[in-house]
């Protein structure tokens, strides 16, 4: 097996030195450089071209952007392994979607760290077993939500009606708020239901909440007809 070149990025020097010492007891691993920030991670990847960059999530700089930048350089040959104490599923999803090839918690053993490094070096994805199912479910859910949001493109007026509906207003109250007729509100409601493939106001509300549609909408412009 060929030697795996490793870069280590962590803003805690003592921890950084300890990890390096433990990894270098294995003849398959060679730590080529270390750093302590997102900016240093990008420079290290560009200069030393490690096979795997083991990098903390919670440290100075734009870490998520660094994941993306590093995953796109060196013809994609440098793989990023997020190695962190942050156990939140949202953080893991953000890291993986930004380009990280793995997400390992710092409570893991050195054997698990070595396994994770070997796994991502081989072009595969590694996620800490402790919460892998939650992360994978979250990734699938977010992918479905994103696709649904793309399919449910609303006009400005339709967004206004949807947002007011989500606050619990009736058709008449929505009509008054937007200075339009009840009939026009019903027309927009029909279009919204068709786009969301539902048949009732309640289903519109439930679907919008599940898909996170309402929370990302613009504030209504009341003067527009």
């Amino acid at each position: 097996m060929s030697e795996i070149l490793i870069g280590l990025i962590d803003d805690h020097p003592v921890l950084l030195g300890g990890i390096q010492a433990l990894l270098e007891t294995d003849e398959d691993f060679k730590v080529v450089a270390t750093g302590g920030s997102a900016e240093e991670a990008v420079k290290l990847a560009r200069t030393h071209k490690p096979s795997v960059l083991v990098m903390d999530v919670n440290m100075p700089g734009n870490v998520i952007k660094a994941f993306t930048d590093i995953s796109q350089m060196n013809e994609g040959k440098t793989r990023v392994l997020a190695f962190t104490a942050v156990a939140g599923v949202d953080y893991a999803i953000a890291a993986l979607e930004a380009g990280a090839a793995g997400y390992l918690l710092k409570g893991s053993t050195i054997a698990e760290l070595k396994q994770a490094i070997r796994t991502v070096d081989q072009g595969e994805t590694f996620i800490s077993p402790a919460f892998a199912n939650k992360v994978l479910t979250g990734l699938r859910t977010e992918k479905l939500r994103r696709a649904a949001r793309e399919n449910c493109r609303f006009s400005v007026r339709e967004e206004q009606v949807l947002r007011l509906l989500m606050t619990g207003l009736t058709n008449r109250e929505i009509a008054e708020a937007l200075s339009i007729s009840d009939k026009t509100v019903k027309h927009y409601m029909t279009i919204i239901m068709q786009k969301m493939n539902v048949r009732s106001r309640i289903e519109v509300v439930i679907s919008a909440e599940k898909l996170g549609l309402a929370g990302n909408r613009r504030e209504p412009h009341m003067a527009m007809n």
Side-chain angles (χ1 to χ4, degrees):
M1 182 177 179
S2 60
E3 193 174 53
I4 299 176
L5 304 182
I6 301 170
L8 295 177
I9 303 292
D10 197 294
D11 60 342
H12 294 88
V14 174
L15 178 61
L16 198 63
I19 294 173
Q20 180 174 355
L22 289 170
L23 288 177
E24 290 185 333
T25 60
D26 193 317
E27 61 182 13
D28 292 338
F29 299 137
K30 180 180 180 180
V31 177
V32 295
T34 62
S37 69
E39 183 180 2
E40 290 179 5
V42 175
K43 291 180 179 178
L44 185 157
R46 183 178 294 113
T47 303
H48 297 278
K49 297 179 173 58
S51 305
V52 178
L53 187 63
V54 181
M55 181 174 171
D56 195 0
V57 171
N58 187 21
M59 62 178 182
N62 190 333
V63 176
I64 295 300
K65 184 177 185 301
F67 286 158
T68 301
D69 291 345
I70 294 166
S71 68
Q72 294 174 349
M73 66 175 60
N74 303 334
E75 298 179 345
K77 293 179 181 178
T78 295
R79 307 271 289 171
V80 178
L81 172 63
F83 184 49
T84 179
V86 181
V89 172
D90 290 342
Y91 283 96
I93 291 173
L96 293 167
E97 291 195 331
Y103 198 93
L104 182 70
L105 298 179
K106 284 185 175 177
S108 304
T109 65
I110 187 62
E112 288 173 326
L113 174 57
K114 290 180 178 181
Q115 179 188 357
I117 291 173
R118 289 192 173 98
T119 299
V120 299
D121 179 59
Q122 292 169 4
E124 300 176 9
T125 300
F126 187 96
I127 303 173
S128 278
F131 73 147
N133 286 338
K134 290 183 179 179
V135 173
L136 292 174
T137 298
L139 283 168
R140 286 194 295 268
T141 301
E142 182 56 32
K143 185 176 181 180
L144 290 172
R145 284 178 176 171
R146 190 178 297 114
R149 285 194 291 266
E150 287 298 312
N151 290 330
C152 292
R153 292 184 179 277
F154 300 111
S155 68
V156 173
R157 179 61 87 196
E158 290 161 4
E159 289 184 0
Q160 293 171 355
V161 172
L162 179 58
R163 287 182 67 90
L164 291 173
L165 175 66
M166 295 293 291
T167 66
L169 297 187
T170 65
N171 281 0
R172 177 168 294 182
E173 290 169 332
I174 293 173
E176 291 176 354
L178 298 177
S179 299
I180 57 179
S181 68
D182 288 6
K183 184 177 180 180
T184 301
V185 173
K186 290 179 181 178
H187 169 70
Y188 284 121
M189 283 299 305
T190 298
I191 294 174
I192 291 170
M193 285 189 281
Q194 288 174 344
K195 288 184 176 182
M196 299 181 77
N197 194 28
V198 298
R199 297 184 178 182
S200 69
R201 292 166 58 92
I202 293 177
E203 287 180 303
V204 168
V205 172
I206 292 173
S207 295
E209 288 177 343
K210 285 183 177 180
L211 298 174
L213 292 171
N216 295 321
R217 297 297 160 192
R218 296 186 294 270
E219 291 298 329
H221 303 286
M222 298 302 183
M224 182 176 176
N225 288 316

